[in-house]
Amino acid sequence: MAHTGQGTAGVQSVYRSLDVLEALGAAGGAASLSDLAAACDLPLPTLHRLAATLARRGYLRQTPDRRYCLGSRLVALGTQANALLGERAQPVLRMLSELTGESANLAVLAYGHAEYVSQAPGLHTMRTFIEVGNRVELHCTGVGKALLSIVTPVQARQLIGAAPLQARTSFTITDPGALYAEVARIRARGYALDEGEMEVGVRCVAMGMPGAAPMAVSVSGPSVRMTDELTAVAVAGLRDATAELSSLLA
């Protein structure tokens, strides 16, 4: 029985450590010890020991203002995990690209941005192209706004308020209140639209996949081809794609 107890204690500490990492991710990558203790429902001394241990291994880093943030050792692990994720998603993205003729993309929520992890290029000579590993802002992209719609309202507000909403085009939403309202509309209808908000002449439709690691799938192309009719086809395809990916990547 004593051995069983030790095993249970070991598992509990792993769960708690993962809770700390996930709470930091939900907070945008950095938080105070007191905020982390509240988010993880742990006593402050326990949280301090866990954070100090993770910091010694490089999974956390303490900032000059005594807050903790995600450490550099997670970067290599995340890069490898995202590469494997992108490979597994490729067949589904290719089907979506063949259905619409346009580029299909998969992005994950990473450090307050949307990070592209895979793309199936469109069938046309003139098509949208993203570089795998590229991170884009949440407020002006289809995948970004889709991600904001599937996290908790509290996390969405934290992410939106983390930095000024810079205008990328004249169509970019730069007012936080207007973005909150847009995210609410996206939640209600189930998909996000980027109407030239990141790049003039490009339209993107995206759908989020809730979970411990929020993801979003999108179809993007030149506005002249991404008509309302094709967008409707893309929305139906995205519903099938997100359902399949949710099962495949679970």
Side-chain angles (χ1 to χ4, degrees):
M1 291 296 291
H3 178 73
T4 302
Q6 289 172 358
T8 302
V11 170
Q12 184 184 55
S13 67
V14 172
Y15 272 111
R16 286 176 168 178
S17 297
L18 294 174
D19 285 343
V20 171
L21 294 175
E22 290 177 359
L24 270 174
S32 67
L33 274 178
S34 57
D35 287 342
L36 282 175
C40 300
D41 193 23
L42 289 172
L44 197 56
T46 301
L47 195 286
H48 183 270
R49 288 194 298 273
L50 289 171
T53 301
L54 289 167
R56 282 195 293 271
R57 293 297 304 273
Y59 294 103
L60 294 185
R61 179 173 61 84
Q62 195 166 29
T63 61
D65 62 1
R66 309 298 293 173
R67 297 196 306 163
Y68 277 93
C69 62
L70 296 172
S72 59
R73 194 160 187 181
L74 292 168
V75 174
L77 293 177
T79 300
Q80 292 167 351
N82 284 344
L84 292 172
L85 183 68
E87 288 177 14
R88 293 174 66 191
Q90 266 295 304
V92 178
L93 295 181
R94 283 197 295 268
M95 289 174 58
L96 194 53
S97 177
E98 290 167 5
L99 173 69
T100 61
E102 303 297 342
S103 299
N105 318 288
L106 176 66
V108 299
L109 183 61
Y111 300 97
H113 289 73
E115 180 178 328
Y116 289 106
V117 296
S118 192
Q119 180 184 69
L123 308 181
H124 303 276
T125 302
M126 186 178 74
R127 62 197 181 203
T128 58
F129 172 78
I130 58 94
E131 185 176 350
V132 170
N134 189 35
R135 288 179 185 163
V136 294
E137 293 164 298
L138 300 177
H139 71 287
C140 57
T141 56
V143 288
K145 291 192 291 182
L147 287 167
L148 286 172
S149 74
I150 59 171
V151 298
T152 66
V154 170
Q155 188 179 358
R157 286 188 174 273
Q158 289 173 334
L159 290 166
I160 291 170
L165 307 179
Q166 296 185 356
R168 297 302 176 188
T169 74
S170 60
F171 303 107
T172 306
I173 299 173
T174 57
D175 175 66
L179 186 56
Y180 296 144
E182 173 70 1
V183 170
R185 285 191 290 270
I186 294 167
R187 280 198 195 98
R189 73 184 177 211
Y191 62 91
L193 287 171
D194 163 11
E195 302 279 19
E197 297 157 53
M198 179 68 177
E199 185 176 348
V200 174
V202 174
R203 191 183 208 191
C204 174
V205 56
M207 197 169 289
M209 298 166 52
M215 291 178 271
V217 187
S218 70
V219 173
S220 58
S223 301
V224 292
R225 288 202 307 263
M226 285 289 292
T227 61
D228 290 346
E229 291 75 16
L230 184 58
T231 297
V233 171
V235 168
L238 284 167
R239 288 197 181 99
D240 292 339
T242 53
E244 189 168 349
L245 285 170
S246 294
S247 175
L248 179 66
L249 304 176

